[in-house]
């Protein structure tokens, strides 16, 4: 007799959501987590703490740049970085305890410790064997190492160290102009750090719509971030109290020095001590766990979801897979629409996207049209100093069906979901254009972009 119907390894957004859904579907469920708190990378050292620091640094920016414009004279604001970190830690605590509460409420057992798969239907944690009919691997990811770069999480840091610095550095070099580099870089730039981003490619945010990427980089430059593009970092090491970094641009090697170097060059699946390989588990050529359309691995009774398998390393993608795999295990039909997974960069302004980029449509030879609308024409955005940015809607030239949306501007990460729902329903740009949007809201800019796909926007 098995102890459990399902044991999930890992309690990040993929794992904990899967555990709750399994329990809701009547399965006897346990979740193995070795950290002191539940929630994985996202809640402990990722999405949630970074959003706290983004909010704090944005508020500081508002106080220093916009308060007097609105007639608020609060004197020169000062940063108490210790308190800012304490606020961040409190936010983490509230969220991780929230998951603990949800586990208790749904009768999910938390098996504390690091789990290993030691046989068919067997997960061993601290020497105790737990049996399960099904095992779901949701062990997440960790920062990839970069050759020649020695991370100590104090002077040369990954996102983990960048979230927990003891003081605000005077200077910081960010390796990689991806999501982590730009989110954390903009936090510290707003707090007064001189930030230089060194990126291998000639554009920021690889894979994003190029037009949005260009506008994004322009806005970040305006905020004080410096960029060295087309530069491959060769090495970074601690020299006395500083970090020294060598990059190669063309044939030339250059050296930079800063108080802190942040390595943000991607993440890789985390499988240390998991025992999946010893079970004969198959990986892809990129080192991810290989799964079929129902998240089954090649080993009977073992499933895998989230960052440890292929696809974008996003908490919400893992959550969707967590719910879907629970349905599959319960004998129902789990489904994830990988064509409609939004991506958001939580800078100020935010950047968000869903569906195909213009570059992808060109490559696929799709006949498309573009509806664009600038936030300069949006009354609400101007009232809150957020007129920079635009909405870009891509629709099929013949059928008007929405194929993608890319936006940079206020609350972009929330606005994108109107288009996600529209795409799930196979909506046309006209469907969005004919939907009444409350005035004055940022969402009117989305409607105007939809109108621009037809007879034209009103406020352009
Ligand atoms: P990334 O893959 O987004 O960007 C890494 C960048 O580093 C690339 O632009 C690459 O060209 C550059 N690079 C690589 N090697 C280099 C070298 N030697 N010299 C110079 N540049 C180099 O990776 P990132 O930002 O570390 O994020 C990791 C994962 O975490 C991503 O999958 C991301 O989607 C996810 N994430 C998502 C967030 C969100 O949705 N808001 C927030 C944080 C992370």
């Amino acid at each position: 007799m098995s102890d459990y119907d399902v044991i999930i390894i890992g309690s990040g957004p993929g794992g904990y959501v899967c555990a709750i859904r399994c329990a809701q579907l009547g399965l006897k469920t346990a979740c193995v987590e070795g950290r002191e708190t539940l929630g994985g990378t996202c809640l402990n050292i990722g999405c949630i703490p970074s959003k706290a620091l983004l909010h704090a640094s944005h508020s500081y920016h508002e106080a220093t740049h916009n308060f007097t414009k609105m007639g608020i004279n609060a004197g020169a604001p000062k940063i108490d970085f210790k308190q800012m970190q304490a606020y961040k830690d409190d936010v983490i605590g509230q969220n991780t305890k929230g998951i603990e509460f949800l586990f208790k409420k749904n009768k999910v057992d938390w098996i504390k410790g690091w789990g290993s798969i030691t046989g068919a239907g067997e997960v061993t944690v601290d020497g105790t064997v737990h049996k399960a009919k099904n095992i779901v691997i949701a062990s997440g990811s960790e920062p990839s190492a970069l050759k020649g770069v020695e991370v100590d999480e104090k002077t040369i840091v990954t996102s983990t160290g960048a979230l927990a610095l003891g003081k605000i550095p005077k200077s910081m070099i960010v390796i990689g102009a991806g999501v982590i580099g730009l989110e954390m870089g903009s936090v510290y730039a707003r707090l007064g750090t001189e930030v230089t981003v060194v990126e291998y490619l000639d554009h920021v945010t690889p894979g994003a719509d190029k037009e949005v990427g260009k506008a994004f980089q322009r806005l970040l430059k305006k905020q004080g971030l410096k960029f060295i593009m087309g530069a491959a970092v060769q090495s970074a090491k601690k020299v006395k109290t500083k970090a020294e970094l060598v990059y190669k641009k063309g044939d030339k090697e250059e050296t930079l020095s800063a108080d802190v170097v942040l390595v943000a060059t991607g993440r890789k699946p985390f499988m240390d001590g998991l025992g999946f390989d010893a079970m004969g588990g198959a990986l892809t050529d990129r080192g991810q766990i290989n799964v079929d359309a129902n998240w089954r691995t090649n080993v009977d009774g073992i499933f895998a979801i989230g960052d440890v398998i292929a696809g974008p390393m996003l908490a919400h993608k893992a959550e969707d897979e967590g719910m879907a795999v629970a349905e599959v295990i319960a004998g129902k039909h789990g489904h994830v629409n990988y064509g409609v997974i939004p991506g958001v960069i939580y800078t100020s302004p935010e950047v968000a996207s869903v569906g195909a980029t213009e570059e992808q449509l060109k490559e696929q030879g799709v006949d498309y049209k573009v509806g664009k609308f600038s936030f300069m024409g949006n009354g609400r955005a101007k009232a809150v100093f957020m007129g920079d940015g635009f909405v870009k809607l891509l629709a099929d030239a013949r059928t008007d069906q929405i194929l993608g949306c890319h936006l940079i501007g206020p609350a972009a990460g929330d606005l994108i979901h109107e288009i996600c729902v529209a795409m799930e329903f196979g909506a046309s740009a006209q469907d969005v254009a004919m939907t009444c949007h409350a005035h004055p809201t940022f969402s009117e800019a989305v409607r105007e972009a939809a109108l621009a796909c037809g007879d034209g926007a009103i406020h352009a």
Side-chain angles (χ1 to χ4, degrees):
M1 251 271 289
S2 289
D3 298 344
Y4 292 101
D5 293 314
V6 194
I7 292 181
I8 296 129
I9 302 178
S11 72
Y16 85 72
V17 167
C18 178
I20 291 170
R21 179 55 101 227
C22 283
Q24 286 172 339
L25 293 171
L27 301 167
K28 189 159 190 281
T29 309
C31 184
V32 183
E33 175 55 62
R35 252 183 236 276
E36 291 300 309
T37 47
L38 297 171
T41 300
C42 171
L43 271 68
N44 290 283
I45 49 165
C47 322
I48 297 299
S50 66
K51 259 81 270 174
L53 292 187
L54 281 157
H55 176 68
S57 60
H58 176 64
S59 305
Y60 176 67
H61 178 90
E62 285 292 288
T64 47
H65 287 71
N66 293 330
F67 272 18
T68 52
K69 288 183 203 163
M70 295 184 284
I72 305 169
N73 293 311
K78 280 200 201 102
I79 298 170
D80 176 348
F81 196 54
K82 255 200 183 139
Q83 176 55 32
M84 199 179 278
Q85 293 284 9
Y87 146 71
K88 178 207 72 183
D89 292 339
D90 182 51
V91 171
I92 296 172
Q94 285 180 40
N95 280 276
T96 55
K97 282 195 193 82
I99 308 300
E100 222 176 306
F101 163 78
L102 290 174
F103 271 13
K104 280 189 190 130
K105 184 178 160 198
N106 287 284
K107 302 195 170 44
V108 172
D109 288 345
W110 173 7
I111 304 174
K112 292 185 189 177
W114 300 101
S116 247
I117 304 170
T118 42
E122 257 185 41
V123 178
T124 301
V125 183
D126 283 338
T128 306
V129 177
H130 303 268
K131 290 192 176 285
K133 290 183 198 128
N134 303 280
I135 296 168
V136 179
I137 300 172
S139 51
S141 61
E142 60 180 343
S144 313
L146 188 58
K147 213 174 135 232
V149 178
E150 300 151 21
V151 171
D152 64 1
E153 294 297 7
K154 288 200 160 56
T155 308
I156 302 181
V157 299
T158 65
S159 51
T160 307
L163 288 165
L165 294 178
K167 60 177 191 212
I168 300 168
K170 279 207 174 67
S171 55
M172 175 185 268
I173 301 165
V174 174
I175 314 176
V179 188
I180 293 180
L182 298 184
E183 283 188 1
M184 290 315 299
S186 75
V187 162
Y188 284 103
R190 285 200 293 250
L191 296 178
T193 304
E194 197 181 289
V195 176
T196 307
V197 182
V198 183
E199 165 59 49
Y200 177 71
L201 302 171
D202 64 355
H203 58 274
V204 301
T205 53
D209 189 274
K210 285 251 173 80
E211 194 179 1
V212 171
K214 263 191 197 155
F216 185 34
Q217 191 179 359
R218 212 169 35 241
L219 286 176
L220 291 172
K221 276 186 186 164
K222 245 169 79 180
Q223 291 174 16
L225 277 86
K226 290 195 187 106
F227 287 89
I228 302 174
M229 306 302 288
V233 170
Q234 308 292 303
S235 66
K237 58 176 188 295
K238 201 176 162 194
V239 178
K240 291 186 186 151
T241 56
K242 291 207 159 207
E244 218 171 78
L245 175 142
V246 178
Y247 70 86
K248 202 168 174 187
K249 192 170 162 132
D251 297 333
K252 269 180 82 182
E253 268 198 1
E254 304 273 357
T255 303
L256 291 175
S257 160
D259 292 335
V260 171
V261 167
L262 163 62
V263 192
T265 52
R267 298 178 62 85
K268 61 171 190 206
F270 177 73
M271 281 180 257
D272 286 3
L274 191 60
F276 182 64
D277 44 353
M279 296 290 295
L283 304 184
T284 67
D285 51 8
R286 302 186 63 188
Q288 302 140 326
I289 293 181
N290 212 356
V291 291
D292 69 8
N294 285 311
W295 304 278
R296 277 180 227 276
T297 69
N298 66 318
V299 184
D300 234 17
I302 303 183
F303 298 78
I305 56 165
D307 284 8
V308 84
I309 66 168
M313 287 184 168
L314 297 171
H316 44 283
K317 175 254 192 191
E319 285 182 38
D320 279 25
E321 288 172 345
M323 282 192 277
V325 81
E327 306 271 344
V328 169
I329 291 170
K332 296 167 176 264
H333 297 283
H335 176 70
V336 174
N337 181 359
Y338 287 103
V340 185
I341 293 185
V344 180
I345 308 176
Y346 299 89
T347 42
S348 180
E350 290 180 350
V351 179
S353 68
V354 66
T357 61
E358 198 170 350
E359 290 74 33
Q360 284 169 336
L361 293 178
K362 275 188 190 144
E363 209 180 288
Q364 293 160 12
V366 176
D367 195 8
Y368 66 93
K369 55 185 171 177
V370 183
K372 251 172 72 177
F373 187 78
S374 163
F375 277 101
M376 275 298 177
N378 179 275
R380 180 72 179 277
K382 276 197 295 212
V384 298
F385 313 104
M386 295 289 270
D388 285 328
F390 57 89
V391 183
K392 175 175 174 179
L393 196 67
L394 301 166
D396 188 290
R398 199 172 47 84
T399 64
D400 197 38
Q401 184 174 3
I402 297 172
L403 302 173
C405 183
H406 309 276
L407 51 104
I408 174 164
D414 289 298
L415 296 182
I416 197 71
H417 294 97
E418 169 176 5
I419 300 301
C420 295
V421 174
M423 285 179 75
E424 283 287 358
F425 282 82
S428 64
Q430 196 185 21
D431 289 325
V432 174
M434 289 179 70
T435 303
C436 185
H437 286 62
H439 175 76
T441 59
F442 302 132
S443 75
E444 287 173 288
V446 178
R447 183 196 199 176
E448 291 268 24
L451 280 164
C453 279
D455 294 331
I458 300 297
H459 297 89

